[in-house]
Amino acid sequence: MRNILFILLLCNVMLLKAQSLELEHWRIINSSEIADADAKVSQPSYPTTGWYQATVPTTVLNALVKENVYPDPRIGLNNYLIPDVSDEFNARMDLAKYNYLKSGRNPWQDPYWYRTEITLPKSYKGKKVWLTLYGINYRADVWVNGRLLADKNDIVGMFRRFKLDITDYALPGANNCVAVKIYQVDHPGVPTPGTQLKVFGPVRGHSYDIFKDETLKISGGWDCAPVVRDRNMGIYQKVTIEATDEVVIENPFIVTTLPKQDTSLADVNIKLEVKNTSGKAIEGKVNALITLVNDVKFPTYTKHMEGYLKPIKITKKVSLGAGEKKVVELTSEDFPSLLIKNPYLWYPNGYGEQYLHHIKLSYNTGGKVSDTKEFDFGIREVEVGLNRVEVDGDKAEVEYGRVYYVNGKRVFCKGGWIQPDILLEESDKRIYDEARLMAEANINLIGSEDMPSPSETWFESFDKYGLMWWHVFYQCYRMTPGTETENNPLDHNLAIACVEDMMLRYRNHPSIISWVGVNEVLMNENLYRLTKEKVKSLDTTRIYIPTTSYHWDVDALTPYLKEDLPTGTTDDGAPDYNWAPSSYFFDKVREVYLQMFRNELGMPSVPMYNSLRKFIPTAESTANVNSPIFPLDSIWAEHGAWDVSNYCYRSYDNAIRTMFGDPKTAKEYADNAQFLSADGYRAMFEAANHRMWDITSGVMIWKINSCWPDVCWQIYDWYLAPNASYYFARKAMEPVHVQLNANDFKISVINASHRVLDDVKVTAKVINNDMRVAWQHSQQLTVSPDCYKEIITVPQHGKYSYNYFVKLELHDKAGKLLSENLYWFYSQHMDFFWFTSMEKPELKKEVKVSKEEGEYVFSICLKNESARLSHFNHLTLQDARGEEINPVFWSDNFITLFPGDEKVITARVAVSDAGGVAPTFVLSR
């Protein structure tokens, strides 16, 4: 059996060729419901009456949700209407009564059949035919036309692909059956405790045994993720069938360097494997064609990139013996055209354009093409360094911050962590929408502890939007030094096989700048060394960071880590994940210790009410309005309003009530929360800004998005609706920025760009709530590239009203607005009650709508012609049914207009999301 199984050491396939077919339409059933033999089930003629439809990729549970067998577990407390794979947990929570199987067997412990039929093209006759599984969870038997190709001992592990030679069993020109029997993870575990139903109560914990397997750890529950009842068993990525001739191309790797230490010349190195699958010798040629991608395709628009590159064509003779595999290298020494003068380079978001090149590789023999592989890549060079800072001038107390250089430009890293949908449901458009939201927020670095093997579409979107990526192999907290989990995962060989496939699959993407072993913990020494060796053998062009953070005694527990210290990044210590006054984040940066490249910090961030009401069924109720925690209840707790030792939600909730009073509705609560979230998330990034390079070299929040509808850490929610924290964090991350440092009230101009800000003008005003100016200052200055400059301190005391504003603007010498910022303060008591009671004036609105490719484009002019403040206006678009549309890509939102102010806002929305009818603009006052 193993001689027909190729654990996929395959290229980065980005385009399905004419000879490749994606298998999307399947039927599934619990195998306990089938009495027939597997060989019979996998015959083309086998009846599937009573089976459920499934569109692959899909997990079992998600397919059953689509078929209305179970309710959507992401909504309300629906997850408690679905039995768990753990019988112990079911007994504790009385969930077995929701079993949909008439037999009463646990619905997730037995395997599931995935079955499809397909007519293969006649052109496949005489060719090699390959079946590729891009991602299954967790084990599988694979059958084609009644023949077993590989069983669950071979097809195992969530984070690798499997390529099977089905030539002897495929029937070109006829109907074929592909049947895959999917098995549950080896150690699904018992959710402990598995619930999070008390407001400010204990966290839901984990299914700890799941950490032993090479599967997704959050499927067993996390503080920010529900327990997934089937542990995401299923075929969660695409399945393809393709045809080649006898020589196949595998594992191409493009390495680009800038040999002159500038951007005048690029050296492109191409390495690939060619394999002769036949029993005879073959003479042929490897061909490579490189072109510049001038029109970059997105789901709803096309971005034209200026420039011209004469196509680079290379041919090399390669002879192969029977069954032989060769590594072929195409270098500039042999092919001078691979030295490209004045190349079009790939840069991170905010630092330049994201130019991509396309390569098509083929092996030709006997006048025909045997196999082709083609994909996009970027010409760029990543280098790293370390910032070194003494703490309080003590030479013995030194901190280090990781520094990245892309094409020689030093990059100030700003971003955070993302999660997949908890049921692993995704579409190309949703992936691109998320990447676009992040890019338009001025984010340039992201990572995930929950996405070891995402689909290629994620990386395509990162490449196109300039989002640098930390690729984490082993997730987080699956193995903790000095604990009973320290030797996880149990199968180190399987873990390394997964790492190998991740690297071979993704390494051509320019967005990946680091391979990361694990987040926050560390592997035992055996797996540590195996991983390090594997990374070194497959890619020396990116830095390998074994762990993002450590909090244990390294000398006592992991002395082997010392050879890779300092890592230059951490999330140990504070700030953590709860609310704090904005000045706190600035004070922590000044301490230096654990702050130079802080890769996790965050605070809760409640979605807008329109999102809340979709997943909290009690959101519209005021029955418990007199409760001291209204509107919070068990549903809120399950969706993020938990707390242990003031770790998460309690201080955030307390600040909302202290500053804005007790809410009368959930909408009022959500609206008030936006002020808190906006100020807090802006402060996290501005704190890093205010000592850029002197102390900080990067900052990442936990987290950017959410894996399900949630009220906690996020800047846009599961419905892809940004809240106020998104727009204020975006402002703080803009490359050219004016800000007020919250701890000392100094005005600072941040220039993260690599150009001089020549003769720019800062204007600062303190404005009372009667709209009178209590203090003002303007100043011309020049700011060097890649640095900050502090200019003046705003008086913290004066003839200020109980609530007042500090308004900042930065203009260039031609008068163009480069950056603006607005802060709100209290002069005596900690309250902003005035914000909730002020009567906002009606704004004058001029709305223009046009259509560009697949998007509606809005230009909205807002003008405040009154003598009163119009503060924190939320802008939305609604469809023909009156429902809010998301995502909408706004140039700005949560708009404040002082008397006489005018502002033009743009918005873009997909025609498909609007239902094909131009939306209506709505201003929420």
Side-chain angles (χ1 to χ4, degrees), residues 413-430:
C413 295
K414 298 167 286 189
W417 299 83
I418 62 172
Q419 294 182 308
D421 172 71
I422 194 59
L423 298 184
L424 307 183
E425 182 177 5
E426 63 185 31
S427 67
D428 287 356
K429 182 180 179 302
R430 183 182 175 94

Side-chain angles (χ1 to χ4, degrees), residues 792-862:
I792 194 172
T793 300
V794 176
Q796 296 189 45
H797 304 286
K799 295 182 178 179
Y800 299 163
S801 52
Y802 54 87
N803 291 143
Y804 66 95
F805 301 88
V806 176
K807 183 180 182 182
L808 305 178
E809 292 181 343
L810 178 69
H811 292 84
D812 67 14
K813 56 187 176 183
K816 179 184 177 182
L817 182 66
L818 300 177
S819 175
E820 60 181 336
N821 221 331
L822 182 69
Y823 302 83
W824 45 90
F825 298 99
Y826 45 81
S827 57
Q828 296 181 33
H829 304 293
M830 187 186 292
D831 80 66
F832 293 107
F833 287 22
W834 178 62
F835 288 0
T836 63
S837 61
M838 73 165 74
E839 182 181 350
K840 292 183 181 179
E842 193 74 34
L843 296 178
K844 182 180 179 181
K845 301 180 285 290
E846 293 181 9
V847 181
K848 298 178 182 178
V849 187
S850 60
K851 188 176 178 182
E852 297 179 8
E853 295 188 68
E855 296 184 342
Y856 291 115
V857 181
F858 281 71
S859 177
I860 302 161
C861 181
L862 301 176

Side-chain angles (χ1 to χ4, degrees), residues 291-294 304-312 340-344 355 357:
T291 55
L292 179 66
V293 179
N294 288 112
H304 182 73
M305 308 290 286
E306 297 292 338
Y308 173 76
L309 173 70
K310 182 180 179 181
I312 299 171
I340 303 175
K341 294 180 180 179
N342 301 314
Y344 293 96
Y355 276 98
H357 294 71

Side-chain angles (χ1 to χ4, degrees), residues 505-733:
R505 184 177 184 180
Y506 304 133
R507 62 184 178 175
N508 287 311
H509 288 281
S511 51
I512 299 175
I513 62 166
S514 285
W515 303 111
V516 180
V518 67
N519 197 25
E520 300 176 297
V521 288
L522 193 66
M523 308 79 77
N524 71 11
E525 186 168 6
N526 178 65
L527 187 54
Y528 178 93
R529 299 210 177 281
L530 288 173
T531 306
K532 189 174 178 178
E533 290 166 8
K534 181 59 66 176
V535 172
K536 186 177 180 180
S537 71
L538 294 176
D539 184 9
T540 59
T541 70
R542 298 169 172 96
I543 184 174
Y544 170 62
I545 302 174
T547 179
T548 60
S549 187
Y550 58 92
H551 57 272
W552 57 89
D553 185 334
V554 171
D555 287 321
L557 298 175
T558 59
Y560 49 90
L561 175 62
K562 291 194 287 185
E563 65 193 51
D564 288 310
L565 295 180
T567 60
T569 179
T570 187
D571 73 355
D572 191 27
D576 247 324
Y577 308 102
N578 55 356
W579 177 83
S582 295
S583 59
Y584 170 78
F585 300 105
F586 288 77
D587 290 338
K588 292 303 293 184
V589 166
R590 299 276 185 95
E591 292 175 8
V592 180
Y593 178 61
L594 300 177
Q595 306 303 316
M596 291 185 64
F597 194 127
R598 187 153 192 86
N599 63 55
E600 281 193 30
L601 72 163
M603 59 181 279
S605 182
V606 168
M608 296 300 294
Y609 177 72
N610 184 64
S611 292
L612 277 177
R613 65 183 180 85
K614 294 177 182 178
F615 69 93
I616 298 182
T618 56
E620 296 182 4
S621 173
T622 57
N624 297 314
V625 69
N626 294 321
S627 166
I629 61 169
F630 174 84
L632 309 186
D633 59 18
S634 59
I635 304 174
W636 284 74
E638 179 71 5
H639 288 264
W642 64 277
D643 205 287
V644 175
S645 303
N646 202 28
Y647 186 81
C648 180
Y649 201 84
R650 185 189 296 272
S651 61
Y652 179 77
D653 175 80
N654 182 63
I656 294 172
R657 298 176 194 278
T658 299
M659 294 184 187
F660 299 97
D662 292 325
K664 302 303 180 190
T665 65
K667 184 179 186 308
E668 184 182 336
Y669 182 88
D671 288 347
N672 293 344
Q674 302 310 309
F675 291 101
L676 206 67
S677 302
D679 198 45
Y681 275 85
R682 173 174 59 184
M684 294 178 209
F685 288 104
E686 289 190 338
N689 286 344
H690 98 290
R691 289 297 179 265
M692 180 177 69
W693 302 126
D694 290 352
I695 296 175
T696 56
S697 58
V699 62
M700 301 171 71
I701 57 171
W702 178 262
K703 47 196 175 41
I704 294 169
N705 71 348
S706 287
C707 67
W708 75 322
D710 197 77
V711 301
C712 206
W713 309 300
Q714 62 199 347
I715 60 174
Y716 62 85
D717 65 35
W718 183 80
Y719 300 99
L720 306 191
N723 51 22
S725 57
Y726 173 90
Y727 294 100
F728 282 73
R730 177 169 82 174
K731 190 176 294 292
M733 287 186 279

